[in-house]
Amino acid sequence: MSIRSVLIEDILSNRENLRSLLSRHCPQVELIGEADGVESGLRLLANTQPDLVFLDVRLPDGTGFDLLEQSQKRNFALIFVTAFDEYALKAFQLNALDYLMKPIDYKLLKKSVEKVALLENLSDENRRLRNLVTNLKNTDEDKRLALPMEDRTEFIELKQIVYCESENNYTRFHLADGRIILIARTLKKFELALQDSGFIRVHNSFIVRIKSIKSISRRDGGYMILSNDRQIPISRNRKEKVFRHLID
């Protein structure tokens, strides 16, 4: 079954490159239209109703985020295509959305398209899009993090997270209500999403929410006590940065 897709990218050479990569490596993708900005993209979405949208972040008349906010319908899968943009990458990570960095690696493109092809329905994907749009309007305190699980995506408010703990290739989220959620992603995957949102990496195994810290000590190598009374060590190589950020 073909995946009806559109490209929204302002630079013609980038559209041509992506078009060529899709033709060579993703034969299941049927391109049904292209646009070069927010306004033209909105018209394209309304007229074509695609299954999949390849969307650039920076457009001449706005951003890909502006387009999503203004779109009446978001019943499509989405793959962002972007040059390095820390703000954008953080937004993608918070919402567990797929993205491709320019220049595009065809192997990563194939993987992204294959994930879309495996979607049984778009309801989970659309919840992520709605969460992205909501997060863009909210302060960090009110933002939610999308946690992809085997059978669903769970959305948790950042203010509910006490700390995150690394467990090999998994991350445990310890929440204020006592729940623990285990996610099959490394702690590093969440670091970008959570940094500058009231969290700090204090150890190779721990990221903590700053407002959950009850006390901090330089004794015994350095540690902190959190709101759930858990004692978290501060690693030697992060100690000075942590103390400078929090109390100096």
Side-chain angles (χ1 to χ4, degrees):
M1 187 180 74
S2 65
I3 303 172
R4 300 172 70 256
S5 307
V6 299
L7 312 182
I8 303 176
E9 154 74 64
D10 62 314
I11 300 175
L12 177 58
S13 60
N14 288 342
R15 294 203 306 273
E16 291 173 340
N17 179 58
L18 182 51
R19 197 187 309 139
S20 174
L21 291 174
L22 289 169
S23 176
R24 280 183 284 162
H25 303 290
C26 305
Q28 69 272 51
V29 172
E30 175 192 0
L31 286 176
I32 58 173
E34 299 181 15
D36 61 3
V38 173
E39 291 301 321
S40 59
L42 289 170
R43 290 194 298 270
L44 178 64
L45 293 179
N47 293 332
T48 58
Q49 298 183 354
D51 304 314
L52 170 63
V53 175
F54 292 92
L55 179 61
D56 191 10
V57 173
R58 297 188 180 278
L59 298 166
D61 55 347
T63 69
F65 301 140
D66 296 328
L67 181 145
L68 291 172
E69 284 193 73
Q70 296 173 41
S71 178
Q72 297 300 310
K73 294 183 179 180
R74 305 187 193 104
N75 55 340
F76 46 77
L78 178 67
I79 299 174
F80 280 101
V81 183
T82 182
F84 182 82
D85 183 321
E86 191 164 314
Y87 173 76
L89 297 183
K90 177 181 171 182
F92 305 152
Q93 294 280 3
L94 274 174
N95 299 282
L97 288 166
D98 219 355
Y99 64 91
L100 296 167
M101 297 295 296
K102 298 175 184 176
I104 296 171
D105 182 321
Y106 78 90
K107 293 178 182 177
L108 297 178
L109 174 63
K110 285 181 67 175
K111 285 184 179 180
S112 292
V113 169
E114 285 165 3
K115 280 196 281 186
V116 172
L118 290 173
L119 288 174
E120 293 184 2
N121 61 66
L122 287 173
S123 60
D124 208 39
E125 192 78 4
N126 292 336
R127 282 195 292 272
R128 296 180 195 185
L129 286 182
R130 288 196 297 272
N131 196 60
L132 170 65
V133 172
T134 301
N135 277 347
L136 292 172
K137 299 175 182 177
N138 286 344
T139 63
D140 283 334
E141 185 74 8
D142 296 318
K143 287 180 179 177
R144 299 191 305 167
L145 175 66
L147 297 179
M149 307 175 79
E150 187 174 343
D151 58 343
R152 69 188 189 281
T153 298
E154 183 153 349
F155 297 92
I156 59 171
E157 294 179 323
L158 296 186
K159 61 188 176 185
Q160 292 301 315
I161 301 171
V162 179
Y163 69 98
C164 311
E165 180 179 12
S166 174
E167 186 176 312
N168 298 318
N169 291 324
Y170 291 79
T171 298
R172 289 187 181 274
F173 283 80
H174 297 257
L175 307 184
D177 61 8
R179 284 192 304 149
I180 299 175
I181 301 176
L182 183 65
I183 301 297
R185 291 190 178 184
T186 65
L187 192 64
K188 182 69 176 177
K189 292 284 187 182
F190 293 105
E191 186 172 9
L192 176 62
L194 294 173
Q195 70 182 19
D196 303 322
S197 292
F199 290 79
I200 186 169
R201 185 82 176 256
V202 300
H203 190 279
N204 284 344
S205 297
F206 298 102
I207 294 174
V208 304
R209 182 169 178 261
I210 293 171
K211 286 190 176 181
S212 74
I213 300 171
K214 288 170 57 177
S215 64
I216 187 168
S217 173
R218 292 183 183 271
R219 297 176 59 187
D220 301 324
Y223 65 88
M224 54 184 58
I225 304 295
L226 304 184
S227 57
N228 61 357
D229 294 323
R230 173 68 194 270
Q231 181 174 308
I232 300 292
I234 303 170
S235 66
R236 183 182 304 171
N237 63 326
R238 297 176 187 270
K239 185 187 302 183
E240 290 310 311
K241 180 180 179 181
V242 169
F243 277 90
R244 187 169 61 250
H245 183 82
L246 296 178
I247 61 176
D248 288 352

